[in-house]
């Protein structure tokens, strides 16, 4: 039995609080597409993606209509291209990115992830060629997203890869200087990367995944904000309980949509990612939730505690609502994609250092952060190393998606438009990390006992 | 509020919830029910109330014998909503069951 109030609550969440399914992401294995001739491999990749994902967008739209819940993005993730392209006799993997871009356009998805390499312990020849191709690949394609995993709790941190990614990020920014360094907005450097993440730009189809799978990412910061506002004077126990209940309801929508998509497409259902993903839209902000808990501005003292409470309550509620939870599953704090975060930076409440502290208690890391264009590759590498250390030591996923905006200084803005939003350029520490990052080698894996 | 929209578990799959929001006026129910009747949609239950000064009507319907596709029915109802100056939505019942029931 459903009451009118329950029905109206659901409708209110969608119409007034921006509840939506952020993404249905189809993971596709490309492991049967390898070929020594890169043109043949490329053709096989194109054929497979366009065949398997032919009905993805239409099915998503049908589900949207039937259930009356917006599904903002339909996307594709593929096996890391470093693995697939490795057998091809070519030094330049840009061709593979172009093939992915063309296939994504053909099936109508806005992003395709998987121009990726996993190098947390070292590089294979495919990894090296892929990483070198990243800046150009991101400059000449529109929809391709790239990610590189440079550290895990079990392997430690590959500092050679960290330093190289610092340089690659600089190069990606320079090659897309006319677009404020847009290339960097499609490139994520990970520690402990999940293999079933449906969210871009970090999505790829892990090697332990099935032939094809449907993963779903929910959203709903607006719904949680509204709940937090309702319990203004309540104690923390009540606050956490209310967030849990709301997270449950949000996640159930993800579960429903995931099951429906899986059934209609005849593809197994992978996971629901519980992440609270903000958008630049007003009322769809994670920062607003934290401020709703009683902080004057996101970034002030208490922000890390508030975020820890939020993230934990969302996971507890969400885990009950879905049979399979996975991906990143935590609150996202991307600066450019969250109106409240942007405001906090503009008003001087939120700094890079505080964001780093916040990433200790939530996914996913320093996300969509613009820094001055003259920031050195070494400083960027050091920022990546700091984030990777947090992830590796705390056995969690962390990531860096940072944009050294060409020609911009602190206080300027970068403008990407759409879901990627706009961001104020933030200050970085002016002291050098050069000698540290240039040491080379690996930072050993951390001890798993004596945990303090 | 005591009114309940009822659906038995074993009959799910073809049930939809139609919600109407807006200013109360003459002809809303007849306007909507005539579209439903034309398309072979059976109304199982109707409940209406005023929530925060807004006229709110919720209908539980069975579309198993519907003569048109879901999309066409949806478009027809939305068109009627514009004509009547109210907002009409049609959604699969599972949305609400999934969110509010385990």
């Amino acid at each position: 039995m459903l009451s009118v109030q329950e029905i109206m609550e659901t409708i209110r969440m969608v119409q007034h609080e921006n509840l939506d399914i952020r993404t249905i992401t189809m993971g596709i294995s490309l492991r049967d597409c390898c070929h020594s001739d890169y043109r043949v491999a490329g053709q096989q990749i194109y054929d497979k993606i366009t065949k398997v994902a032919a009905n993805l967008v239409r099915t998503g739209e049908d589900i949207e209509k039937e259930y009356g819940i917006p599904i903002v993005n339909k996307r594709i993730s593929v096996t890391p291209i470093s693995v697939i392209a490795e057998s091809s006799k070519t030094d330049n993997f840009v061709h593979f990115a172009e093939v992915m871009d063309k296939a994504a356009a053909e099936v109508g998805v806005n992003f395709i992830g998987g121009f990726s390499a996993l190098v947390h312990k070292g590089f294979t020849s495919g990894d090296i060629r892929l990483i070198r191709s990243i800046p150009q690949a991101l400059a000449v394609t529109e929809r391709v997203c790239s990610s590189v995993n440079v550290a895990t709790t079990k392997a430690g941190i590959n500092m050679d890869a960290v330093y190289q990614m610092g340089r690659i990020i600089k190069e990606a920014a320079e090659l897309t200087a006319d677009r404020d360094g847009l290339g960097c907005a499609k490139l994520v450097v990970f520690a402990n990367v999940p293999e079933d993440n449906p969210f871009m730009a970090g999505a790829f189809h892990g090697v332990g995944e099935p032939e094809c799978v449907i993963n779903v990412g929910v959203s709903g910061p607006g719904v949680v904000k509204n709940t937090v506002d309702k319990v203004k004077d309540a104690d923390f126990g009540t606050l956490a309980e209310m967030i849990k209940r709301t997270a449950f309801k949000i996640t159930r929508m993800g579960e429903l949509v995931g099951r429906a998509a899986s059934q209609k497409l005849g593809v197994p259902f992978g996971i629901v990612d519980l992440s609270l993903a903000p958008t630049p839209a007003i009322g769809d902000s994670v920062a607003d939730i934290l401020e709703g808990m009683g902080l004057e501005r996101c970034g002030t003292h208490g922000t890390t505690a508030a975020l820890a409470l939020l993230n934990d309550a969302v996971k507890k509620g969400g885990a009950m609502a879905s049979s399979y939870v996975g991906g990143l599953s935590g609150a996202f704090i991307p600066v450019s994609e969250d109106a409240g975060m942007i405001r906090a930076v503009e008003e001087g409440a939120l700094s890079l250092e505080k964001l780093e502290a916040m990433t200790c208690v939530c996914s996913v890391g320093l996300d969509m952060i613009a820094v001055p264009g003259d920031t050195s590759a070494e400083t960027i590498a050091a920022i990546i190393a700091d984030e990777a250390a947090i992830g590796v030591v705390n056995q969690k996923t962390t990531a860096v998606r940072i944009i050294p905006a060409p020609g911009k200084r602190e206080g300027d803005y970068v403008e990407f438009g759409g879901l990627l939003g706009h961001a104020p350029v933030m200050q970085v520490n002016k002291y050098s990390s050069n000698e540290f990052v240039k040491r080379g080698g690996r930072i050993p894996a951390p001890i798993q006992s004596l945990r303090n | 509020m005591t009114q309940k929209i009822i659906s038995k578990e074993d009959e799910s799959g073809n049930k939809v919830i139609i919600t109407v929001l807006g200013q109360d006026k003459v002809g809303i129910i007849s306007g909507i029910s005539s579209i439903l009747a034309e398309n072979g949609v059976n109304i199982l239950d109707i409940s209406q109330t005023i929530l925060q000064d807004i006229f709110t009507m919720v209908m539980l319907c069975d579309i198993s014998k519907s003569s048109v596709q879901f999309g066409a029915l949806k478009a027809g109802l939305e068109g009627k909503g514009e004509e009547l100056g109210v907002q009409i939505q049609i959604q699969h019942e599972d949305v609400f069951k999934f969110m509010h029931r385990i």
Side-chain angles (χ1 to χ4, degrees):
Chain A
M1 294 206 298
L2 288 160
S3 73
V4 174
Q5 276 83 353
E6 285 170 329
I7 289 168
M8 294 317 297
E9 182 188 358
T10 305
I11 288 175
R12 193 191 65 230
M13 285 183 184
V14 173
Q15 292 189 348
H16 301 297
E17 298 167 6
N18 297 314
L19 172 63
D20 54 47
I21 302 300
R22 179 53 49 82
T23 180
I24 297 182
T25 303
M26 178 182 263
I28 303 172
S29 167
L30 297 181
R31 279 157 61 179
D32 51 359
C33 298
C34 304
H35 199 279
S36 57
D37 184 338
Y38 73 93
R39 284 158 301 198
V40 176
Q43 189 61 44
Q44 290 181 159
I45 289 171
Y46 179 83
D47 291 346
K48 181 154 190 190
I49 294 172
T50 50
K51 180 168 165 252
V52 176
N55 294 325
L56 175 64
V57 172
R58 211 199 56 218
T59 303
E61 284 165 358
D62 284 350
I63 294 171
E64 251 177 302
K65 265 194 215 130
E66 261 175 55
Y67 294 124
I69 296 178
I71 300 170
V72 182
N73 299 298
K74 295 92 187 168
R75 292 169 169 171
I76 293 170
S77 63
V78 297
T79 314
I81 293 296
S82 63
V83 177
I84 305 310
E86 191 156 70
S87 324
S88 299
K89 292 186 176 57
T90 173
D91 283 339
N92 191 340
F93 284 2
V94 174
H95 174 71
F96 292 95
E98 287 168 337
V99 165
M100 288 165 73
D101 205 39
K102 206 170 121 207
E106 171 65 26
V107 299
V109 300
N110 59 355
F111 280 121
I112 179 165
F115 199 75
S116 305
L118 309 177
V119 296
H120 37 271
K121 210 158 180 187
F123 305 89
T124 65
S125 78
D127 295 331
I128 292 168
R129 286 178 283 161
L130 181 117
I131 291 174
R132 282 190 191 144
S133 307
I134 288 174
Q136 205 197 337
L138 295 179
V140 301
T141 61
E142 185 190 339
R143 300 161 201 250
V144 173
C145 291
S146 177
S147 56
V148 175
N149 191 60
V150 296
T152 66
T153 297
K154 293 244 165 91
I157 306 172
N158 180 351
M159 287 299 291
D160 292 329
V162 168
Y163 187 22
Q164 190 176 6
M165 287 316 294
R167 296 192 300 261
I168 293 289
I169 287 170
K170 285 291 285 184
E171 204 184 323
E174 278 151 24
L175 288 184
T176 50
D178 56 332
R179 285 161 280 168
D180 282 351
L182 176 66
C184 301
K186 300 180 286 181
L187 172 59
V188 192
V189 184
F190 274 106
N192 288 326
V193 70
E195 299 204 329
D196 52 6
N197 163 27
F199 286 104
M200 295 298 167
F204 67 87
H205 186 72
V207 289
E209 296 284 306
E211 183 68 22
C212 187
V213 73
I214 288 291
N215 296 322
V216 172
V218 296
S219 180
V223 183
V224 175
K225 166 68 167 52
N226 193 44
T227 303
V228 170
D229 285 346
K230 276 189 203 146
V231 290
K232 269 241 164 319
D233 301 317
D235 74 344
F236 287 112
T238 311
L239 179 62
E241 180 63 27
M242 291 302 289
I243 296 172
K244 258 160 56 180
R245 284 188 200 182
T246 306
F248 177 87
K249 290 175 183 173
I250 295 170
T251 311
R252 288 296 281 174
M253 293 299 94
E255 177 82 3
L256 173 68
V257 166
R259 285 190 200 176
S262 154
Q263 195 200 1
K264 281 177 196 271
L265 290 162
V267 168
F269 178 30
I271 55 97
V272 177
D273 188 316
L274 307 179
S275 302
L276 275 186
T279 66
I282 299 297
D284 208 16
S285 154
V286 170
D288 284 355
I289 300 173
L290 304 176
E291 290 176 9
M293 288 187 195
L295 301 167
E296 188 182 356
R297 270 293 166 269
C298 176
T300 187
H301 304 292
T303 301
T304 309
L307 184 58
L309 180 152
L310 171 68
N311 203 30
D312 183 64
V314 166
K315 283 182 204 166
K316 285 172 177 163
M320 292 292 289
S322 171
S323 336
Y324 300 99
V325 172
L328 297 166
S329 286
F332 291 172
I333 50 171
V335 173
S336 78
E337 299 172 1
D338 186 314
M341 294 285 174
I342 294 171
R343 185 183 56 210
V345 172
E346 285 170 344
E347 295 181 1
L350 184 60
S351 65
L352 203 54
E353 289 75 16
K354 189 63 181 180
L355 277 164
E356 187 181 312
M358 289 161 73
T359 65
C360 298
V361 297
C362 80
S363 74
V364 74
L366 294 173
D367 196 13
M368 289 304 286
I369 289 167
V371 295
D374 60 3
T375 308
S376 70
E378 288 76 19
T379 295
I380 291 172
I383 291 170
I384 295 169
D386 281 343
E387 263 317 294
I390 290 171
V392 163
V393 170
N394 295 301
Q395 304 176 52
K396 71 187 288 295
T397 304
T398 50
V400 174
R401 185 161 50 144
I402 193 166
I403 302 107
K408 305 270 174 156
R409 285 189 226 155
E410 188 194 342
D412 291 347
Y413 280 85
V414 293
E415 189 68 56
F416 299 124
L419 269 182
L420 297 171
H422 75 287
V425 175
M426 296 177 79
Q427 188 185 21
V428 296
N429 197 306
K430 64 181 182 185
Y431 293 99
S432 160
S433 321
N434 285 12
E435 286 181 28
F436 180 75
V437 298
K438 283 180 177 168
R439 281 176 178 272
R442 278 186 285 142
I443 294 181
I447 190 164
Q448 296 298 316
S449 60
L450 313 174
R451 297 194 54 81
N452 273 314
Chain B
M1 198 64 50
T2 52
Q3 287 167 316
K4 299 279 185 186
I5 301 293
I6 303 163
S7 157
K8 287 178 194 147
E9 284 293 324
D10 57 345
E11 288 176 358
S12 68
N14 293 308
K15 302 283 169 53
V16 296
I17 300 266
I18 297 171
T19 48
V20 183
L21 297 174
Q23 283 275 302
D24 195 7
K25 63 163 76 161
V26 175
I28 293 181
I29 295 188
S30 86
I32 295 167
S33 53
S34 63
I35 286 193
L36 297 178
E38 281 163 24
N39 293 307
V41 176
N42 187 26
I43 301 173
L44 301 172
D45 200 350
I46 299 186
S47 161
Q48 64 176 53
T49 179
I50 305 287
L51 279 181
Q52 290 162 358
D53 294 335
I54 297 170
F55 169 73
T56 307
M57 184 171 78
V58 178
M59 297 171 123
L60 176 69
C61 300
D62 181 351
I63 55 166
S64 58
K65 297 197 177 73
S66 172
S67 53
V68 291
Q69 291 283 315
F70 186 89
L73 184 60
K74 184 181 169 79
L77 285 166
E78 282 169 357
K80 179 55 87 175
E82 274 175 36
E83 198 182 297
L84 293 166
V86 293
Q87 183 195 322
I88 303 181
Q89 278 208 85
I90 175 166
Q91 287 163 281
H92 204 283
E93 184 201 31
D94 282 353
V95 177
F96 306 99
K97 280 169 64 177
F98 241 76
M99 182 178 275
H100 299 287
R101 297 289 180 273
I102 302 175

